[in-house]
Amino acid sequence: MPAPETQNLLQQALAHHQQGRLPEAAALYQQVLQRSPREPDALHLFGVLMHQSGQHETGRQLVEAAVQISPERPEFHSNLGQILKALGKPQEAEAAYRQALAKAPGFVDALANLGALLQERGAVAEAIGFLQQAIRKEPGHANAHMNLGNAFRKDGRIEEAEAAHRQAASLAPISEETHANLATTLMDRDKLKEAERSLKRALLLNPALAEAANSFGFLLFNLRDYTPSGTWFKRAILLAPCYAAAHTGLAELAYFSGNIEQAIQHSEDALRFAPDDPQIHLRHAIRLLAAGRLEEGWLEREWRHKMPDRVRRIGLPPVWRGEPLAGKRLLVCAEEGVGDEILYASILPEVTQQGAELVIECDERLLPVFRRSFPDALVHAYARAGDGFRPVQKYDWLPKDKPVDYAIDAGSLALYFRRTLSDFAKTRPYLKPNPERILQVQNMLGQTGDRLKVALAWRSRKSSAFRDVHYTALKDWLPLFALPEVQVFSIQYGENWDTEIKTLERETGHAPTVLPDLDLTDDFDDILALVSSVDVLICPSSTLGWIGGALGKETWLFHPQPLFVQYGTDGFPGFPSIKSFAKPFEDGWEQTVSEITATLRSKAAK
């Protein structure tokens, strides 16, 4: 124990420290150390103060000295971990936190700090375990709730993230960080107005919080208020020049304004500061592909395998990396979206031309279509276990009599077969619809008269503030429905589309025709039969567009510019039957709908 006078000085210093009077606290800590240079509490607390003042290296030296003197103190190890983390030494920080827990297994601060570090490093499941343990020990630990929300969010468990962040904000109402983190999760849940209120609280509490400024930029971006959005991203960078997320925000703005080269520059800046962030790499891949830089883009897209919610595949043969395929058996694993499965199936005929025997994995809904289209392949529907946040697929179904030599995800085939634009010229229509189902649908269409027949989808399956900018509303198509020489049939899929149609018909007297007894969400034989039977398919950039292209059907695809699958061209390489009706990102859909309507009127006249 220090002498009474020294102990009194230390208590005074700690009181100043706790009240935020750092210069006064620092002066008293120095007095203590002049009297007792090996006083561990003074070394430790002065080191923490130096760290809080931004002098992390000095703080590290002081706290390490305290640890040398009193290695049994768990709080010393835990705070050393915080300083090492700030110094960009995550492995050493993790070791310090674990050392704290070795001294005191239930030490809540160390549990919370280790959980936060692990979720940032991608060990999300382990992080959640430590954070939940901290909360069980101390239910009112606001930082543990906040970090648990961050871990849930990173794991894709958005509802649980929101609950944890709300609890953190309730426990620490004057903490800017809790409100900023809550706002981010509210944005994920499309609760934009509530997110705006949380961000304003965070910025009121700390106008210099770079994370809040960056989130405000993305909030305004989602609200389509683009110029102020850029101002907030730039403010975040001024506050924290190495903040990768804010550079990514500028990249998004540049991309959607059509300046792809500038977008690439901004995303390269982001990657300098966060070289291991798979999401930033994936967005960078889209920009490179949109610029026509195919090889670079496909390589960057391989970072999707490192996303935390990526399917974990158990029991796969070795990954195919371009070895000769003659006489070999290749498993092509399904991508995680049915649209991508259909898109990258365009490459499969070229794989078989190299002498490979294919085993194709697909969504169960595609099973009859793929078996009909690729009759020489073994086609198997995947069974996905786990949940949407940690999906797992096992491959114990692979044939044993003739083992599979290699495996590759369908999208990764582009690395080897789509290196240049000329490679797309090899693509031919490759999906085969059910002939009997086509006859049934044609009979239905024949009963509606001899007008030009058009299938229309006006949006995608999912809706959110960010996604909806890519899609129209049904009412936008009233000029098309009014054309007497055109019969419009709905090919919309998903939920609530029937309510949209009934509402529009009641309010305007116009609406697309719905064919009875067709399942246009889950029955791909029905979908392919309708697309095959109409004169024109009109749709956004979605699964339907690739179906139209895969059938060689005249497809008019409306979309904002740029669209990365055009690979820097005005069309859709590999899919000559798809025609682009593009608009600037910031414009409405009126001009595009007017152009499509006029083109249809001309086509009907011919």
Side-chain angles (χ1 to χ4, degrees):
M1 292 289 292
E5 294 177 1
T6 303
Q7 181 68 26
N8 184 47
L9 282 173
L10 190 57
Q11 289 177 346
Q12 291 179 46
L14 181 59
H16 284 302
H17 194 164
Q18 291 171 333
Q19 294 298 317
R21 297 187 291 271
L22 301 190
E24 293 87 344
L28 290 173
Y29 286 140
Q30 287 173 317
Q31 287 186 42
V32 171
L33 291 171
Q34 286 170 358
R35 292 167 176 260
S36 303
R38 289 178 55 80
E39 166 47 47
D41 283 313
L43 287 166
H44 168 241
L45 292 169
F46 192 26
V48 170
L49 186 149
M50 289 290 99
H51 159 62
Q52 291 169 335
S53 303
Q55 299 181 52
H56 306 304
E57 181 56 34
T58 300
R60 181 188 67 79
Q61 294 172 12
L62 288 163
V63 176
E64 281 184 345
V67 168
Q68 289 292 324
I69 297 165
S70 298
E72 75 285 350
R73 299 279 292 276
E75 69 272 26
F76 290 6
H77 293 281
S78 183
N79 284 329
L80 177 60
Q82 290 291 81
I83 297 171
L84 290 167
K85 179 181 174 184
L87 284 167
K89 299 179 178 181
Q91 291 179 323
E92 294 177 43
E94 181 179 340
Y97 295 142
R98 292 190 185 276
Q99 187 67 22
L101 291 172
K103 305 295 182 185
F107 185 41
V108 173
D109 282 347
L111 289 168
N113 291 338
L114 179 57
L117 178 69
L118 289 172
Q119 74 88 13
E120 291 173 10
R121 298 186 71 193
V124 179
E126 190 179 7
I128 289 171
F130 281 113
L131 292 164
Q132 289 176 328
Q133 186 180 345
I135 290 167
R136 284 194 297 271
K137 295 270 184 189
E138 188 178 324
H141 198 294
N143 270 350
H145 285 281
M146 183 180 73
N147 291 326
L148 180 60
N150 293 339
F152 280 144
R153 181 173 180 264
K154 198 165 190 176
D155 206 34
R157 298 157 67 173
I158 305 301
E159 290 186 21
E160 293 168 271
E162 181 184 347
H165 282 144
R166 285 189 186 280
Q167 183 68 9
S170 173
L171 290 167
I174 60 171
S175 164
E176 65 271 21
E177 283 188 287
T178 62
H179 293 292
N181 280 281
L182 172 59
T184 301
T185 302
L186 290 169
M187 288 168 62
D188 288 339
R189 302 210 64 200
D190 220 26
K191 298 179 179 181
L192 300 187
K193 290 300 180 184
E194 194 176 357
E196 184 175 3
R197 290 194 293 271
S198 291
L199 282 173
K200 286 179 177 178
R201 289 191 192 101
L203 289 165
L204 186 64
L205 289 163
N206 183 1
L209 186 61
E211 292 83 354
N214 175 67
S215 293
F216 213 85
F218 276 106
L219 174 73
L220 293 172
F221 182 84
N222 284 340
L223 293 171
R224 307 179 194 181
D225 201 355
Y226 301 117
T227 300
S229 171
T231 300
W232 281 96
F233 289 136
K234 291 173 184 175
R235 176 175 174 175
I237 291 170
L238 283 174
L239 294 168
C242 299
Y243 189 22
H247 290 280
T248 297
L250 290 178
E252 295 287 358
L253 275 176
Y255 179 76
F256 286 113
S257 69
N259 193 335
I260 298 175
E261 290 305 319
Q262 188 179 77
I264 290 172
Q265 291 173 13
H266 284 306
S267 62
E268 287 173 346
D269 290 338
L271 286 170
R272 279 206 304 275
F273 303 125
D276 297 322
D277 189 315
Q279 182 62 32
I280 295 177
H281 278 281
L282 285 177
R283 296 303 300 170
H284 188 49
I286 285 175
R287 295 164 196 140
L288 290 169
L289 292 170
R293 292 163 61 175
L294 298 180
E295 287 195 53
E296 296 169 83
W298 296 129
L299 282 170
E300 283 290 288
R301 196 170 176 275
E302 290 299 286
W303 278 83
R304 71 192 187 281
H305 300 299
K306 298 188 179 182
M307 293 291 288
D309 59 348
R310 186 71 178 171
V311 170
R312 188 159 60 95
R313 305 187 188 278
I314 299 174
L316 282 182
V319 175
W320 182 64
R321 303 190 185 280
E323 296 90 343
L325 285 172
K328 300 295 184 181
R329 209 168 196 190
L330 176 68
L331 167 65
V332 179
C333 298
E335 290 294 327
E336 292 183 41
V338 69
D340 280 351
E341 288 187 57
I342 292 171
L343 168 62
Y344 294 112
S346 62
I347 304 175
L348 296 180
E350 295 163 50
V351 180
T352 60
Q353 289 171 10
Q354 292 201 0
E357 182 180 341
L358 289 182
V359 178
I360 304 171
E361 179 190 52
C362 68
D363 187 296
E364 186 174 11
R365 295 171 295 171
L366 289 173
L367 206 56
V369 177
F370 275 20
R371 283 177 174 167
R372 188 185 312 116
S373 304
F374 308 106
D376 295 328
L378 170 62
V379 182
H380 191 281
Y382 61 74
R384 194 163 287 171
D387 53 36
F389 316 117
R390 286 290 179 185
V392 175
Q393 286 174 205
K394 295 183 179 180
Y395 292 85
D396 49 7
W397 55 268
L398 290 174
K400 305 292 191 299
D401 56 336
K402 188 177 181 183
V404 175
D405 298 288
Y406 301 110
I408 188 170
D409 283 21
S412 297
L413 289 170
L415 275 169
Y416 305 98
F417 293 90
R418 294 292 181 267
R419 292 175 177 270
T420 66
L421 285 174
S422 62
D423 291 336
F424 289 87
K426 304 168 187 176
T427 306
R428 297 291 182 271
Y430 53 92
L431 291 188
K432 295 181 180 178
N434 184 327
E436 294 180 2
R437 198 71 61 87
I438 288 178
L439 287 174
Q440 294 169 1
V441 172
Q442 287 177 342
N443 286 334
M444 295 182 197
L445 296 179
Q447 298 170 17
T448 63
D450 58 359
R451 290 182 289 172
L452 191 72
K453 293 173 173 56
V454 173
L456 171 71
W458 54 93
R459 59 172 171 82
S460 181
R461 183 171 190 162
K462 297 179 181 178
S463 175
S464 69
F466 180 73
R467 289 173 61 88
D468 286 352
V469 74
H470 297 268
Y471 308 122
T472 59
L474 182 58
K475 64 182 180 181
D476 293 333
W477 294 95
L478 281 172
L480 178 60
F481 302 146
L483 283 180
E485 56 269 62
V486 174
Q487 177 81 40
V488 182
F489 298 90
S490 172
I491 196 169
Q492 184 59 53
Y493 54 97
E495 299 175 353
N496 300 322
W497 56 265
D498 50 345
T499 302
E500 294 175 57
I501 290 175
K502 290 173 184 175
T503 300
L504 186 69
E505 189 169 25
R506 184 177 63 251
E507 293 177 352
T508 69
H510 293 288
T513 300
V514 177
L515 291 177
D517 303 323
L518 293 185
D519 179 354
L520 299 176
T521 297
D522 292 319
D523 192 325
F524 277 82
D525 274 346
D526 281 353
I527 299 168
L528 267 65
L530 181 53
V531 172
S532 298
S533 300
V534 296
D535 298 300
V536 180
L537 167 65
I538 300 175
C539 63
S541 177
S542 66
T543 300
L544 283 172
W546 303 126
I547 289 174
L551 292 170
K553 170 60 64 175
E554 185 170 356
T555 300
W556 297 0
L557 198 148
F558 58 88
H559 59 93
Q561 290 178 313
L563 187 60
F564 83 92
V565 285
Q566 292 188 284
Y567 310 117
T569 73
D570 295 329
F572 291 88
F575 297 94
S577 69
I578 303 180
K579 177 178 174 61
S580 169
F581 286 85
K583 75 173 186 71
F585 186 78
E586 296 183 22
D587 289 359
W589 289 105
E590 297 83 0
Q591 183 60 39
T592 304
V593 172
S594 177
E595 182 184 356
I596 290 174
T597 302
T599 307
L600 268 179
R601 183 183 291 114
S602 175
K603 183 177 181 66
K606 293 177 183 178

